[in-house]
Amino acid sequence: MHAWLISDSPASRLQASAGRAYRASGMLLRNPLAVAGALIIGLLIFTAIAAPWIAPESPVGQNLSNRLLPPSADHWMGTDELGRDIFSRVIYGSRITLMIVALVAVISAPLGLVIGAISGYFGGWTDRILMGLTDVFLSMPKLIMALAFVAALGPGIENAIIAIAITAWPAYARIARAETLTFRNAEFVSATRLLGASHSRIIVRHVLPLCTSSMIVRVTLDMAGIILTAAGLGFLGLGAQPPLPEWGAMISRGRVFILDQWWVATMPGLAIILVSLGFCFLGDGLRDVLDPKSAGKS
Amino acid sequence: MTTAISLDNLDISYSGNRVVQGVTFDVAEGESFALVGESGSGKSTVLKAIAGLAPEWTGGMTVLGKPRGHGPDKDLARTCQMVFQDPYGSLHPRKTVDAVLSEPLAIHGLGDRSERIEKALRDVGLDRRFRFRYPHQMSGGQRQRVAIARALMLEPKIMLLDEPTSALDVSVQAEILNLLKRLRAEQNLTYLLVSHDLPVVGFMCDRIAVMTKGQIVEIAPVTALHDGAFSDPYSRTLYAASGG
């Protein structure tokens, strides 16, 4: 199997791409931080899928006789002001976090990628107009703009996702444009044009694949910021609405008791830190593997 | 004999700066014609204008008897292809040889892809083992063979060669030149070669045009490279500089 994967003369398309993936994953596995990050993200995904089986109690079931209990064997992370088990809420909250992160990435990364690639490839007026638009979005702080959008669209998790996605794409457009500029005059692009390929075919089949690796790195590194923005919106009451167990909203509720019942705000905060760190580690590791500019330095 | 390429008083500019002026020559079908000159003399620019990569030109240009438009076009792609100087830059770094060679077939909707690719690899003397390799797994000469195979995928009549060997080692240069010479004989191709290397031109071509400062100063038969029978003073300097 190993020999088949690292063969330098693969016999099929499948073997060639499998070999490339194998080599990349090998490099990723040699990077301890990346492995730690991947494990944390894996844990997040597993928790989100298996939440009903892991969580000992319902995330929304109230029990007012168990209000604000400290962490114990019964309630690993204590209970909140309505007697809900914080551990169960954190577990279910991973679903919301994962959904936000995944949807924001799915919306904003392709949008930024396409806008940046078109802008960089055509240059001239197309570039000026698209980059002007991007600059307008970039010039405002992310959280403030997300706040404005949520305020306009109305609070709620879907609107929070849309707002974050709208604020996230300009950075990706900038990266994709910069990448595209480095090879839009490359001979392989000229050669493909001479074969009779249309501009859209060149952008989709030849330019975008070269932008994706740096994009994956950047999106992974931005995940932490996205989680924090989502938590920030939740904290301000503009993201997920009660009784949804969103981590930012949970911290916001715990703020009232932070001096006497520290665990109410701390536990979801720890979850946010852990997941953000996981994405940062994974992003750094991916950059070492995928980014051709840093390759060969280590 | 029909004319493959005919240029009549061609001026070429890059964003308003005229870099080539008054270029006139005809290349007959099946002929191998060379443009020689030092760097910056505009010889590659002429090639780019024919290919459609330097669209700012005025004057007359016909390819196989048909007037040529200003950009690259899909019909021309079937008759006229180009091989670039740098085999490291002319192949997409993330695509296998197979993907590179199937691209022209996909663009033009041609079938029998697997057979055509295998045939093209055989034609340029590459083993089947190379079919699913990435460019970084090949040497410069092997990459240049892939680039030549890509140009031949659409079975063109005319090949534009932009210093096809200048980025390669001397030993590999000879292999590629032999390959190009053999392909021309086998497929009855017309070559328009750009080079600053007079021995290469002497080996490959029938006629040469000497360019300097964006103009053609002389068109001579290739025998001039052996006996030095150039009439223009610049050509004589160039000839003397190459040790002729």
Side-chain angles (χ1 to χ4, degrees):
Chain A
M1 186 67 184
H2 177 77
W4 182 79
L5 282 169
I6 61 156
S7 161
D8 64 354
S9 44
S12 68
R13 240 160 271 194
L14 179 74
Q15 192 185 349
S17 42
R20 221 179 99 201
Y22 177 75
R23 258 169 282 208
S25 52
M27 278 164 73
L28 201 59
L29 286 178
R30 278 197 290 277
N31 186 327
L33 272 186
V35 173
L39 284 179
I40 294 172
I41 307 309
L43 186 71
L44 173 75
I45 294 170
F46 173 75
T47 316
I49 293 170
W53 294 280
I54 300 174
E57 290 178 27
S58 154
V60 288
Q62 304 179 3
N63 182 352
L64 292 177
S65 60
N66 284 347
R67 287 183 78 230
L68 298 168
L69 293 179
S72 66
D74 280 346
H75 302 285
W76 290 358
M77 294 183 179
T79 60
D80 67 6
E81 82 281 12
L82 295 172
R84 297 173 292 195
D85 181 42
I86 294 180
F87 181 62
S88 303
R89 284 177 68 77
V90 169
I91 295 289
Y92 273 92
S94 66
R95 291 187 156 183
I96 297 175
T97 301
L98 195 64
M99 182 178 79
I100 293 174
V101 163
L103 283 179
V104 169
V106 164
I107 297 170
S108 61
L111 186 69
L113 202 57
V114 168
I115 289 179
I118 290 175
S119 182
Y121 179 78
F122 287 108
W125 277 105
T126 320
D127 187 32
R128 267 180 238 172
I129 290 166
L130 288 177
M131 280 302 117
L133 190 70
T134 309
D135 284 338
V136 169
F137 277 88
L138 269 180
S139 61
M140 282 179 270
K142 266 190 185 180
L143 187 61
I144 305 291
M145 197 158 60
L147 269 177
F149 275 110
V150 175
L153 296 168
I157 191 116
E158 297 85 6
N159 292 343
I161 291 170
I162 294 171
I164 299 172
I166 288 175
T167 58
W169 70 265
Y172 305 141
R174 277 271 172 207
I175 299 171
R177 174 177 176 270
E179 289 267 311
T180 309
L181 282 180
T182 60
F183 50 74
R184 75 163 194 187
N185 289 325
E187 288 183 341
F188 67 85
V189 173
S190 305
T192 314
R193 285 197 74 196
L194 292 188
L195 293 170
S198 60
H199 290 302
S200 54
R201 186 182 178 93
I202 292 176
I203 291 177
V204 174
R205 304 282 301 261
H206 298 265
V207 172
L208 288 186
L210 284 173
C211 300
T212 42
S213 54
S214 57
M215 192 61 55
I216 290 172
V217 171
R218 182 62 198 249
V219 169
T220 316
L221 286 171
D222 276 0
M223 290 291 187
I226 291 170
I227 292 171
L228 291 178
T229 311
L233 287 177
F235 183 85
L236 295 169
L238 294 169
Q241 296 299 301
L244 277 180
E246 202 271 323
W247 293 344
M250 288 168 71
I251 296 178
S252 162
R253 306 289 300 233
R255 190 179 43 138
V256 186
F257 325 103
I258 197 146
L259 293 178
D260 301 314
Q261 283 87 23
W262 54 269
W263 57 89
V264 181
T266 309
M267 295 307 175
L270 283 179
I272 292 175
I273 293 172
L274 186 70
V275 172
S276 303
L277 265 183
F279 276 114
C280 280
F281 287 164
L282 185 66
D284 272 339
L286 281 175
R287 181 174 55 199
D288 292 345
V289 174
L290 292 177
D291 192 350
K293 283 169 218 106
S294 67
K297 276 186 198 160
S298 52
Chain B
M1 281 269 257
T2 45
T3 34
I5 300 169
S6 170
L7 304 182
D8 180 27
N9 207 13
L10 191 73
D11 291 358
I12 309 166
S13 315
Y14 284 129
S15 43
N17 295 324
R18 195 195 294 171
V19 288
V20 169
Q21 44 189 320
V23 166
T24 303
F25 63 79
D26 290 322
V27 182
E29 211 170 323
E31 193 185 13
S32 177
F33 189 88
L35 287 173
V36 300
E38 50 195 320
S39 322
S41 59
K43 51 196 193 315
S44 290
T45 305
V46 174
L47 222 55
K48 283 190 182 142
I50 298 171
L53 297 174
E56 278 182 59
W57 54 263
T58 54
M61 188 192 298
T62 61
V63 173
L64 290 170
K66 277 182 239 154
R68 175 79 182 82
H70 282 250
D73 75 69
K74 215 171 155 179
D75 295 329
L76 184 90
R78 300 293 294 266
T79 54
C80 179
Q81 278 296 321
M82 183 158 169
V83 175
F84 291 87
Q85 177 175 8
D86 178 12
Y88 292 86
S90 68
L91 296 180
H92 193 287
R94 298 280 169 86
K95 287 191 187 290
T96 60
V97 172
D98 180 72
V100 167
L101 297 185
S102 43
E103 186 71 4
L105 302 177
I107 292 169
H108 292 268
L110 302 175
D112 301 328
R113 292 193 197 167
S114 205
E115 290 88 90
R116 282 175 194 259
I117 290 170
E118 301 249 323
K119 178 180 177 298
L121 286 177
R122 265 199 315 278
D123 283 348
V124 297
L126 278 179
D127 196 272
R128 316 182 45 203
R129 293 183 291 125
F130 289 95
R131 183 166 165 192
F132 295 100
R133 285 201 189 175
Y134 288 96
H136 65 85
Q137 295 170 312
M138 294 186 291
S139 71
Q142 288 162 348
R143 291 178 195 215
Q144 195 62 307
R145 284 174 195 262
V146 174
I148 294 170
R150 170 178 59 193
L152 290 173
M153 284 313 281
L154 295 173
E155 294 164 3
K157 297 260 187 301
I158 302 168
M159 291 276 270
L160 307 172
L161 308 168
D162 187 3
E163 311 226 18
T165 58
S166 64
L168 303 172
D169 284 345
V170 177
S171 59
V172 183
Q173 275 190 15
E175 287 175 25
I176 297 292
L177 291 174
N178 282 323
L179 169 70
L180 287 169
K181 202 163 187 175
R182 174 169 65 75
L183 288 170
R184 179 171 161 236
E186 282 174 5
Q187 310 196 7
N188 192 27
L189 298 166
T190 306
Y191 281 172
L192 178 54
L193 174 90
V194 158
S195 184
H196 60 261
D197 190 345
L198 294 185
V200 165
V201 171
F203 178 74
M204 292 284 297
C205 298
D206 307 325
R207 280 195 304 152
I208 59 175
V210 181
M211 282 190 78
T212 180
K213 296 180 183 130
Q215 286 173 311
I216 290 183
V217 291
E218 183 172 8
I219 296 179
V222 76
T223 48
L225 284 176
H226 305 297
D227 51 25
F230 288 104
S231 54
D232 186 84
Y234 177 78
S235 315
R236 268 189 243 123
T237 326
L238 195 73
Y239 177 71
S242 81

